[in-house]
Structures are given as structure tokens and as C-alpha cells.
Amino acid sequence: MPSDISASVSETLSGKTIVVGVTGSIAAVRVIDLIRDLIRRGAEVHCTMSHAAGQILHPYALEYASNHPVITEITGRVEHVLFCGVGGKADLFLVAPATANTIGKMANGIDDTPVTTFATTALGSGKPVAVVPAMHEAMYRHPAVIRNLQILREMGVALIDPRIEEGKAKFADNQRVVQEVERLLGPADLKGKRILITSGSNAESIDPIRILTNRASGKTGVALALEARRRGADVTLVHRFIQDLPVHQVYAQSASDMLDAVMSELKKGCDALISAAAVADYTLDPSEEKIKSGLELNLRLKPTRKIIKTVREAYPDLKIVGFKAETDTGDEALLARARASLEGAGLDLVVANDVSRGGMGTDDNRVLILSRSGSHSEVEGKKSLIARRIIDSLAEIL
């Protein structure tokens, strides 16, 4: 039952009511998993569907997924007004999947299915509306469909673009849809802010094959990027673990590459730097050829330039969040070292943790967040929760 999975992944949608409108695309079979993913983030989900959708997916499937009766027709309860009218229960009307037919009707105010009636009501009352198109590629490229999508954009509808594969405009990945929903329903307290984040480990070349690196996975940096974006920020993530993320990513392998990338991005204007990367402390002059194995090897290491120090010298007023990782230390000593880093580097916030207790490469962690005012807080749990608390602290000083 949904109650068993509610907020099991995060609480980013807790307290939010989402109505999912399902239309007659074969992609309707995907919506079951999407509903569950929304519930896993705390949302309450209700469903309405067109007659055509009912020929592909039985209403019972949607009822099971959402744990609520499915609206297959508008009755005397005026369900569309109850949820999507002015003051209605819904926080978002999400059409997933949306056929070319339904997109055309929404764009032109035609109401002949429960889904289109919900859509017109939501748009007329100012409720947020999002659309996940799914159809054959030829239909998606039709001039009228392109025009109707543009009309929806101009109405303020959020369009979650499909994946173009195998001649089809396929239903967007669930993760992508969820991320867009989280942003639409987020607090928007960082709207208009540009946040630069460094993440993960560096790789310092020994030769064309071998590298020096550390155990940092970059999971915290990614969680921070997603949380900042959820709250409306324009986010750039500098790292070497490029992946499918809805933020601007800049590849940087070595510590020198990362510093160059950071300085280049800061020239474009930035409100804050979150230095979450475990930046390499040492580098070396790499061999141009592979070093033969089996031989005793001496490497001459030299210190890398400190990113935070360089940034602070160039941008004295920039808000900077630093990280302090230690091993085998108690909270009092950890705070003392974090405070020394904060004062020595002119940081605004420091996130400190004892990595000997865990955290590197894991999905969970325990950190202490220290502010310039001297106050500190403890956060333990999933890195998505930790990221939220860090961004909470940053938002207070931006």
C-alpha cells in the first residue's frame, strides 16, 4: 500500500497533493511506477483518466498505485473543481502521458474528457500544470502539435520533454519527471540565484593509465545540486562524474582543472560557491608513457593550489560553503577544526564530518554544520536530507 512507501526516499513532496491525468497513449503503462515514485517522496496522488486511457490501463491499476478511487467521469461532486478549482485540493495537475490529441484540446480549451476538463479548470484557476508528452515522433514533429505545445508554454504549462528514440517521442524517465515536479512545487527561495558546486574526487595522472585519487563518490555534491535546483536556483556542478542530471555540468579531472573551471564559471556571475569536492591535496608531473609494472616506484608529489583560498582572494564578498573531513575525532575537536577552517579561509558555512564513522561512498552520513555566527547543528540521515539542511543554512544568508 502507498502508506508503506510514503516518503521512503525523501520528503521533498510531503504535504503536496498531485492529480495525475492519464490519456490514451501506450505509455500509460509507465504511470504506475511514476505514481509510486511521487508517493515515495511524500506526495498524495489522485488520478483521473480518459476513456481512451481506460482501454490501455484498467482504473484498478491506478487505484492500487495511488490508494484512491480513480475519476473516470465528472459527476455531481464536480471533481475538477474540488481538486483544481480556485482553492482546490491539488497543488499540481500532471498530465502523464499526454497524447497529441489531449495536447491539442488543452491548447484550445476543448473539454470532452475528464482529463481535459481538469486541465481547463486548473489553467483557469492558476494551478500549476505539467505535461509529459508521449507519441510517435512523426506526430510530435507535426506543425500543429509543435504550435499547440508552444501555446501551452505561453500559458505557463511546464513541458517535460520526451526522449526521442526508435522513431518515438517516449515518456520521459521517471527520475526526470519527479525532478521537474519537485522544482515546480519547491519553495523557490533560491529563484534567481546562481549556485556553483564542486563535487567528488579529482584524478591526478601518474601516467596515461594510472591515477591518484581518493574515496569521495560525489553523492553529496549531486544531492546539493538537485536540492538547490529544486528550490529554484540556476546550478552549475563541476566534477568528473558526468551523469544524467537536470543541471549544467562542467567536467574537471584534476585539481588544476577544477580550479580553472571554477574561476571560469565565477566570471559569469555567481551568488555562492559550495566546495563539496574532496579536492586532491597533491599532484605530480605525469609520465608521458605507461610506467612498467613490477618495478619499485618513487613518486614526487607536490601540493595543489587551494581552490577556496584562490576564490576568496579573487571574490572577497562571495558566499562560500566549505567542507571539513577528519578521522577519529569527537564532535568537540571536529567543531574546533571546522571553526579554524571557517576563520582561516573566510568561509560562511563549514560542513564537517568524521569519515572514519562512514559517509564516503555511502548514501547516508552524519555532519555538523557550522555558521560564521558560531552556531552549529547536527544532521544525520540520507544525503538528500543533509543537502536540504545545508541549502537551508545557505538560503538564510543569501
Side-chain angles (χ1 to χ4, degrees):
M1 299 295 289
S3 58
D4 298 328
I5 64 171
S6 181
S8 61
V9 171
S10 73
E11 298 180 356
T12 52
L13 296 175
S14 290
K16 302 298 183 182
T17 298
I18 300 170
V19 177
V20 176
V22 184
T23 68
S25 164
I26 189 62
V29 298
R30 290 274 313 281
V31 80
I32 301 299
D33 287 339
L34 175 60
I35 290 168
R36 306 290 279 188
D37 281 342
L38 295 171
I39 293 170
R40 288 185 180 99
R41 287 155 180 83
E44 178 180 328
V45 180
H46 296 260
C47 299
T48 183
M49 65 193 309
S50 65
H51 174 72
Q55 294 179 314
I56 295 171
L57 186 68
H58 198 282
Y60 288 167
L62 295 177
E63 182 174 353
Y64 171 79
S66 66
N67 200 33
H68 292 290
V70 179
I71 300 165
T72 57
E73 61 179 343
I74 304 300
T75 72
R77 296 186 66 235
V78 288
E79 292 85 353
H80 56 302
V81 177
L82 178 67
F83 283 99
C84 290
V86 176
K89 296 179 181 179
D91 296 288
L92 173 71
F93 181 52
L94 173 65
V95 186
T99 60
N101 188 40
T102 295
I103 288 168
K105 291 176 180 178
M106 288 176 63
N108 292 281
I110 297 172
D111 300 337
D112 60 358
T113 73
V115 174
T116 53
T117 300
F118 266 78
T120 295
T121 307
L123 289 168
S125 64
K127 293 279 186 186
V129 176
V131 166
V132 186
M135 63 198 75
H136 282 275
E137 184 179 1
M139 299 174 72
Y140 187 66
R141 303 298 186 197
H142 190 286
V145 175
I146 293 172
R147 183 171 61 250
N148 287 332
L149 287 169
Q150 182 58 33
I151 291 171
L152 291 182
R153 287 189 189 94
E154 293 169 358
M155 289 180 180
V157 173
L159 300 181
I160 303 174
D161 295 333
R163 295 176 292 116
I164 306 299
E165 295 176 359
E166 301 173 333
K168 300 176 182 66
K170 294 186 177 181
F171 195 101
D173 290 337
N174 282 6
Q175 182 180 22
R176 175 70 172 170
V177 177
V178 169
Q179 288 167 348
E180 293 303 321
V181 169
E182 288 176 326
R183 184 174 172 92
L184 283 168
L185 298 181
D189 53 345
L190 294 180
K191 188 174 182 179
K193 302 295 184 181
R194 186 165 186 267
I195 309 296
L196 179 61
I197 301 173
T198 64
S199 177
S201 61
N202 298 128
E204 303 298 318
S205 294
I206 298 173
D207 63 19
I209 295 175
R210 302 177 180 91
I211 60 172
L212 288 177
T213 189
N214 59 53
R215 301 180 189 278
S217 66
K219 290 182 178 180
T220 297
V222 169
L224 285 163
L226 293 176
E227 177 64 16
R229 181 186 183 275
R230 182 182 77 87
R231 294 163 72 155
D234 177 9
V235 179
T236 295
L237 183 63
V238 179
H239 61 159
R240 69 183 183 96
F241 302 118
I242 302 298
Q243 53 195 285
D244 185 16
L245 296 171
V247 301
H248 177 56
Q249 299 178 79
V250 177
Y251 178 78
Q253 176 171 287
S254 67
S256 178
D257 294 337
M258 182 167 281
L259 175 57
D260 289 344
V262 166
M263 298 306 290
S264 176
E265 291 298 319
L266 288 175
K267 288 179 182 177
K268 302 173 185 177
C270 192
D271 295 285
L273 167 66
I274 304 177
S275 185
V279 181
D281 291 310
Y282 296 95
T283 188
L284 68 162
D285 295 321
S287 170
E288 294 182 359
E289 298 179 354
K290 180 191 172 185
I291 300 170
K292 291 183 179 180
S293 59
L295 302 176
E296 184 174 314
L297 182 63
N298 293 315
L299 299 177
R300 184 173 181 273
L301 303 181
K302 54 186 179 182
T304 58
R305 291 179 65 193
K306 296 297 184 182
I307 291 178
I308 288 179
K309 182 177 185 293
T310 304
V311 169
R312 177 53 78 211
E313 290 174 352
Y315 298 92
D317 298 323
L318 180 69
K319 301 297 183 184
I320 302 179
V321 180
F323 280 66
K324 184 66 174 175
E326 295 289 350
T327 58
D328 298 311
T329 184
D331 284 358
E332 189 172 329
L334 184 61
L335 281 171
R337 295 177 190 180
R339 191 171 293 108
S341 291
L342 185 144
E343 295 171 355
L347 302 176
D348 296 278
L349 295 168
V350 175
V351 182
N353 73 305
D354 183 342
V355 297
S356 59
R357 304 181 194 177
M360 296 197 82
T362 65
D363 293 324
D364 301 86
N365 204 353
R366 175 183 178 273
V367 304
L368 302 176
I369 304 173
L370 177 67
S371 70
R372 183 175 285 185
S373 67
S375 64
H376 72 273
S377 59
E378 173 190 339
V379 188
E380 184 172 8
K382 295 175 181 175
K383 288 183 176 177
S384 58
L385 172 63
I386 292 170
R388 191 185 315 176
R389 297 293 180 260
I390 294 170
I391 297 299
D392 284 344
S393 297
L394 177 60
E396 290 178 0
I397 60 176
L398 281 178

